[in-house]
Amino acid sequence: MTAELICVGTELLLGDILNTNAQYLSRELAELGISVLHQHVVGDNVARLKELVNTARARSDLLIFSGGLGPTEDDLTKETVADAFEDTLRFDPEEWQKIVDFFARTGRTPTENNRKQAMVPVKGHKLPNAHGTAPGAWFEDANGHCAALMPGVPREMKAMWQEQVRPILERRQNCTIHSRTLHVLGGESRIAEKVGSLFDSENPTVAIYCKTGESEIRVTARAATAAEAEADCNAALDKLRDRLGDAAYDVDVPALEYTVVRALREHHLHAATAESCTGGLVAERLTNVPGSSEVFGYGFVTYAEGAKSKLLGVDPALIEQYNVVSGPVAVAMALGAQRVSGADVAVALTGIAGPGGALPGKPVGTVYLGGCDARNHKVYLMRLTLGGYRERDIIRTRAALYALDMLRRMALDLPLPEALQAESDCLTDPDSLNL
Amino acid sequence: MTAELICVGTELLLGDILNTNAQYLSRELAELGISVLHQHVVGDNVARLKELVNTARARSDLLIFSGGLGPTEDDLTKETVADAFEDTLRFDPEEWQKIVDFFARTGRTPTENNRKQAMVPVKGHKLPNAHGTAPGAWFEDANGHCAALMPGVPREMKAMWQEQVRPILERRQNCTIHSRTLHVLGGESRIAEKVGSLFDSENPTVAIYCKTGESEIRVTARAATAAEAEADCNAALDKLRDRLGDAAYDVDVPALEYTVVRALREHHLHAATAESCTGGLVAERLTNVPGSSEVFGYGFVTYAEGAKSKLLGVDPALIEQYNVVSGPVAVAMALGAQRVSGADVAVALTGIAGPGGALPGKPVGTVYLGGCDARNHKVYLMRLTLGGYRERDIIRTRAALYALDMLRRMALDLPLPEALQAESDCLTDPDSLNL
C-alpha cells in the first residue's frame, strides 16, 4: 500500500510551528508496512488543495490528512476531499450535541460556523474525536482509494490515529503490529557495531534513533495475531539485550531517571546528589519523576569552590592538592553528600563544561564522576571525556546521564560500564584517593 | 514572489528525523515577503522528483531545496533540477580539491562517487558550502524562475542560506531585512490584549511565538537600506516595550537565565537558590549560562522536609504550623539559603508539582515563591497558581521561570509583576510571616 501525507495549515507554511505530525504519522505508517511517497503541507486554499488531492488520489492508495477541520470559512478540507472522493456531507446531530456540550462547559455557545464541524461523510464515516470538538472523517472511492482526515492538534490527532485510523489500516494490511522501544546508553556507531545484522531484518524491523549520549532502538513486529506479533517482538528484544548487555537499561520508559527511581525504590535505597558542572541537572531529572520523593531528598549544587567545603565538608587541602576538577574531589563530594543527607547512595560531578575553564591536561569536557554505594561500601570514580562536541549543554547532558547510570548501577549492583573502564582511570579503592 | 519548499530524503519519509529545515526556511521566506505555497518531502526517487519539480516550477517563482546532494547514486536532485531548468552540470576542479582536502584531514580518500558532488551548474552557479563537502547550486530558467539547492544537514543548510541564498533574494526583493526578537513573560492572550493592533502591521511584521510561560515576539522590518530597516525595527520594538512594560525582559537572548546572569553581574550580586518542587531546575538553568560562576555558587535541592531544616535552618515548628507548602516556609527557605551561602539575593520554591500531593485548598500547581533581596532587605512572596495544565513538567518549568524573574526583579529593583500582585497574596512584610 502507498500513502501520501497532507498537512493543512497556513501556520505551517509560515513556519510558525514545527510539523511534528508529519514525523509521527510517517513513522507509524512505516511500521504498518505502508510506503509514504510524499509529504505535503498546504494552506487553507481550496484551489491548491483540490489540485493536490486529485493528483495524490490518482497515484496513491491512501491519503492521510491532519489539520483543516476548524470552524472558520477557510477550513474547507473536509468539503474538498468529500468532493474528490465522490462523497457528500450530512449534518450529524450527535456530533453537534457534543460541540454544544463542549462550549457549555466553558460557559459559551457555539456559533453558526461550528455547525461545519458537525458535518460527516454520507458514504464514508466519521472518526470520533475523544479530545476535541471536531470529528475526523474517512472517505473511500470506487477504486478503493481511501482518505483519513484528522485534526491538526497533535494530542487530538494522535488519539484519533491510535484509536480509529490505525486499527482500520491494520485490518486492511491483514496484520497486527507490536512495537517496543529498547533504551540503550551509547551512540549509534558503538551500538551498530554490536548489533550489526539485526538492523537488516524486515520483520521485525529494528530502527535506531539517536539522542544525546544514548539511543532508542524501536522494534516492530507484524504478524497475523497480536500474540504472534508480541512474541516476535520480544524475541528480537531478547537478542538485542544479549548483544548489548547492561548498556540496554530499560524498555518503553520516558527516560533513564524513571529506571533509576524504580531501581532505587525496589531496593529501598535513598540517593543524594552533589553537582558542580551539571549545576542541578541530575537532581532536576530525578525529581521530574512523579513519586521520586520516596527515593530522593537532598541535592547539593556546589558550583563555587567554597560550597564544596562548606556544604559537603570537602577538605580545602584536597582541593589545593588535586585541583577542584579531579577524581579525589569528586569522590569526596559524593562521600560528603552521603554523610550530610544520610542517603544510602550518592553521586557527585565536577568538571569543565566550557566554553572557558580548560586546564593543562584537562580540556573542556573533562568530567569526574564519583559515587559511593550502599551495599558494598565502595566508592567509584570515572573520568569522563565528553569533549569533542565541546558544547556546554551536550557535555552537561551527557555527564548527567552517566551520573544517573552510576546510580542505576549502584542500585542494581552492576559493574561500571566496560567501555569506560577501559578508556578512563576508574578507581574503586578509596585509599588510593588519599581522602 | 511565490515559492515552494522541497525537502529530499527517505529518512524524512520514514519519520526517522524531524523536518526542522522546513520550519526554518518557511519562517525566513515569510520574513523576506515571499509566500510559500507548498512544502513537499520526497524520497530519492527520480521519477517522482521530476514530476514534482516540473509541477512546482510551472506554478511558482522560486523552488528552495534541502537535501539530496549526497554522493550516492540515489542522490540525483541536482541532475534532475538542472534538467528541468534547462541547464547542465560541469566538473569543478576547485570544489573537487576541497573534497579531497576534507577527506585527507580525516585520513581518507574520496571515492569516484564523490566526484558527483563537485559537479556545478553551467548557466547557473554553485553555492559554496562553508561547513561540508557538497556545494549547493543555483538555477534559473528563461522565465526567470529560480531554484536554490542546499544540503540537508541543518548546520550546513543554515550557513548556506544566510551567506549565499538569502542575500540573492534580498536583492531580488529589492530590500534589506532587519529582525529582532523581544522576549516577554506571559501567554499569548495576555500579550495580544496589550499589544493588539501592532500585530496587524504589514511592515514591520510582528509575529508571536508561544513557549511555556513566556512568548517571543519577532519583529521584522523591510526597507531599502539596512539603516532604515534597523530604525523601523527598533521603533516597533520601542512601541511593544511601552505597552508590555517590564514583562518584556530582553531582546535577542537565548533564554531568561542569560538576562538574569547579566543583571546580577552588572549589579555585582551573588544569587543562591533553594528548591523543592522544581528539584534543581532554577540552578540548572542559571548554570547553563557560560560564566555563571561569577554570580552563582550555592544551590540547595531540599526535596525532603528534613532537608529544609537541616540545610537551610527552616524551623520544624514553622513547617508544622503552616505546612511545608506555604508562604512562610518559602520565605524561610530563601532566608536560609541567603544566610548559609552568603549570597546577596536568594529565591526559594515550595509547591505541588503533581500528579499526586494535592492538599485541602492547595490543588496541584500551587507553588509558593519566596525571595530575599540585597539592596532593600525586603522579602517577597508570591503564591503562584500554575494548575489547570496540571502537567508536572509544565508546572515546574513555569515555577522556575517565575523564580528566575524574581531574581531579575530583585537585581534590577523592579516591583513584582502586576498580574500576580492582583491575583495572589503577595507579601513584602516579613513580620506578617511569623518567622
Side-chain angles (χ1 to χ4, degrees), chain A residues 55-294:
Chain A
T55 308
R57 188 179 68 102
R59 68 186 167 200
S60 299
D61 304 317
L62 174 67
L63 310 189
I64 301 285
F65 291 80
S66 78
L69 299 181
T72 70
E73 282 172 40
D74 292 346
D75 293 309
L76 288 166
T77 306
K78 199 160 53 181
E79 291 79 351
T80 307
V81 179
D83 205 41
F85 280 76
E86 300 138 24
D87 203 339
T88 50
L89 301 173
R90 65 173 176 83
F91 178 74
D92 186 313
E94 190 191 347
E95 289 300 327
W96 177 241
Q97 192 55 48
K98 279 192 208 164
I99 293 168
V100 171
D101 293 347
F102 177 85
F103 275 78
R105 279 200 294 278
T106 50
R108 298 173 300 157
T109 45
T111 64
E112 199 53 30
N113 269 340
N114 288 102
R115 289 179 73 89
K116 274 167 52 76
Q117 297 189 298
M119 300 298 286
V120 304
V122 170
K123 288 198 286 181
H125 58 83
K126 65 182 174 183
L127 300 167
N129 185 339
H131 298 285
T133 55
W138 178 273
F139 296 101
E140 194 157 347
D141 70 11
N143 302 317
H145 289 206
C146 306
L149 274 63
M150 297 183 288
V153 177
R155 198 172 67 110
E156 296 181 24
M157 181 279 289
K158 285 181 189 172
M160 192 177 287
W161 169 262
Q162 290 294 342
E163 292 158 21
Q164 318 275 339
V165 181
R166 187 176 153 136
I168 298 175
L169 296 175
E170 287 196 7
R171 282 196 297 277
R172 302 221 169 188
Q173 289 290 79
N174 207 9
C175 67
T176 61
I177 304 281
H178 194 83
S179 284
R180 300 192 79 187
T181 300
L182 185 68
H183 298 261
V184 189
L185 293 160
E188 185 170 4
S189 58
R190 181 168 293 161
I191 290 169
E193 209 174 89
K194 290 196 176 177
V195 174
S197 59
L198 292 179
F199 285 115
D200 301 334
S201 158
E202 290 209 353
N203 185 27
T205 58
V206 178
I208 188 163
Y209 304 105
C210 296
K211 298 166 71 180
T212 301
E214 59 176 322
S215 302
E216 292 179 0
I217 303 180
R218 175 98 162 158
V219 178
T220 305
R222 268 176 278 159
T225 67
E228 277 176 85
E230 188 174 346
D232 291 351
C233 185
N234 287 339
L237 275 180
D238 286 343
K239 268 192 224 168
L240 285 166
R241 270 188 290 231
D242 267 358
R243 301 215 191 157
L244 292 165
D246 59 22
Y249 65 81
D250 217 334
V251 174
D252 293 336
V253 280
L256 176 56
E257 53 267 33
Y258 283 76
T259 307
V260 172
V261 167
R262 200 186 59 224
L264 291 167
R265 188 186 287 132
E266 284 173 3
H267 292 85
H268 308 289
L269 297 172
H270 273 77
T273 56
E275 305 181 61
S276 188
C277 57
T278 48
L281 182 54
V282 181
E284 192 275 318
R285 287 190 58 174
L286 284 171
T287 58
N288 204 24
V289 182
S292 48
S293 58
E294 285 177 49

Side-chain angles (χ1 to χ4, degrees), chain B residues 8-67:
Chain B
V8 183
T10 304
E11 68 282 12
L12 289 166
L13 289 183
L14 289 171
D16 288 352
I17 57 171
L18 189 59
N19 192 355
T20 55
N21 286 357
Q23 183 185 25
Y24 176 84
L25 289 168
S26 295
R27 207 185 267 199
E28 289 281 319
L29 286 161
E31 285 191 1
L32 286 163
I34 297 171
S35 302
V36 177
L37 304 185
H38 284 271
Q39 295 171 3
H40 311 270
V41 174
V42 281
D44 301 315
N45 176 295
V46 176
R48 282 195 286 274
L49 185 63
K50 199 164 180 170
E51 184 193 355
L52 173 60
V53 171
N54 284 324
T55 308
R57 188 180 68 101
R59 68 186 167 199
S60 298
D61 305 316
L62 174 67
L63 309 189
I64 300 285
F65 291 80
S66 78

Side-chain angles (χ1 to χ4, degrees), chain A residues 284 287 310 340 392 396, chain B residues 284 287 310 340 392 396:
Chain A
E284 192 275 318
T287 58
K310 190 160 184 180
V340 176
R392 190 171 173 89
R396 283 158 54 98
Chain B
E284 191 276 317
T287 58
K310 190 161 184 180
V340 176
R392 191 170 173 90
R396 283 158 52 100

